[in-house]
Amino acid sequence: MSKLLYSATMSLDGFIAGPGGDLSWLTAYAGPDPAVDALIPQVGALLVGNRTYRGDDPHRDDPEKAGEAFGGGWSGPQVVLTHHLPAAPVPDVTFADDLGKAVALAKAAAGGKYVNVLGADVARQCLAAGELDEVLVFVAPVLLGDGVRLFDHPGATLVRLEHVGPAPLWFRVVR
């Protein structure tokens, strides 16, 4: 059965994107990474939030990597959670306007591999719905000071995690 994994690169002060969703800061830290290389073949599908899908691309100036997950290192089915369904189909992309439906579609598409969740808001929704299984964080040596937090859920209850490795910040959500 496929698991939902929220993976993100985060600044040391807890941001995955700068103000306005700016991801340009990531290009300086997007070099080869053995942990990312090991993760890529374990990902069967992406569950992506609308802002992430339509948002800033740290590789927009590189035609070989632009618009591709993991800087072009992965390709496959994507499910985009959005209330703004497009009129025309997009190859390898399914759009869903309901979290439960989006999760089910992504798990079916993943073929037993991970569903990699991209986007802080969709990750927060998955966590609140009891759907998120694991969290993997890559910490970049930079302080952004402001922007989109890894998790932002003011007033939420405590969420217990347990370390599962092999990366230092890879955790399982304890239910």
Side-chain angles (χ1 to χ4, degrees):
M1 176 123 191
S2 296
K3 293 182 181 180
L4 266 66
L5 168 69
Y6 175 35
S7 71
T9 299
M10 174 185 78
S11 65
L12 188 59
D13 54 350
F15 298 99
I16 62 168
D22 176 28
L23 293 174
S24 62
W25 68 275
L26 276 172
T27 55
Y29 305 99
D33 185 323
V36 174
D37 294 342
L39 172 64
I40 290 172
Q42 297 180 61
V43 175
L46 302 180
L47 175 56
V48 185
N50 186 52
R51 281 182 285 196
T52 300
Y53 177 74
R54 299 185 195 289
D56 199 4
D57 183 349
H59 301 288
R60 68 179 164 270
D61 297 328
D62 183 344
E64 292 183 20
K65 295 181 180 179
E68 300 293 327
F70 299 102
W74 182 91
S75 64
Q78 298 182 45
V79 177
V80 178
L81 179 61
T82 180
H83 295 293
H84 307 286
L85 303 174
V90 177
D92 289 325
V93 180
T94 302
F95 296 88
D97 60 0
D98 173 78
L99 179 66
K101 180 179 176 183
V103 167
L105 288 167
K107 282 184 172 183
K113 294 182 175 183
Y114 278 115
V115 172
N116 196 92
V117 177
L118 300 178
D121 188 55
V122 74
R124 179 196 54 76
Q125 290 179 58
C126 289
L127 183 64
E131 295 285 356
L132 191 64
D133 297 297
E134 297 179 19
V135 179
L136 171 58
V137 181
F138 301 96
V139 179
V142 64
L143 300 171
L144 292 180
D146 193 12
V148 178
R149 293 197 175 280
L150 177 70
F151 277 105
D152 193 12
H153 53 278
T157 59
L158 178 77
V159 176
R160 290 182 19 88
L161 305 172
E162 64 183 8
H163 184 258
V164 294
L169 297 177
W170 195 327
F171 301 96
R172 179 178 302 117
V173 177
V174 177
R175 294 190 175 98

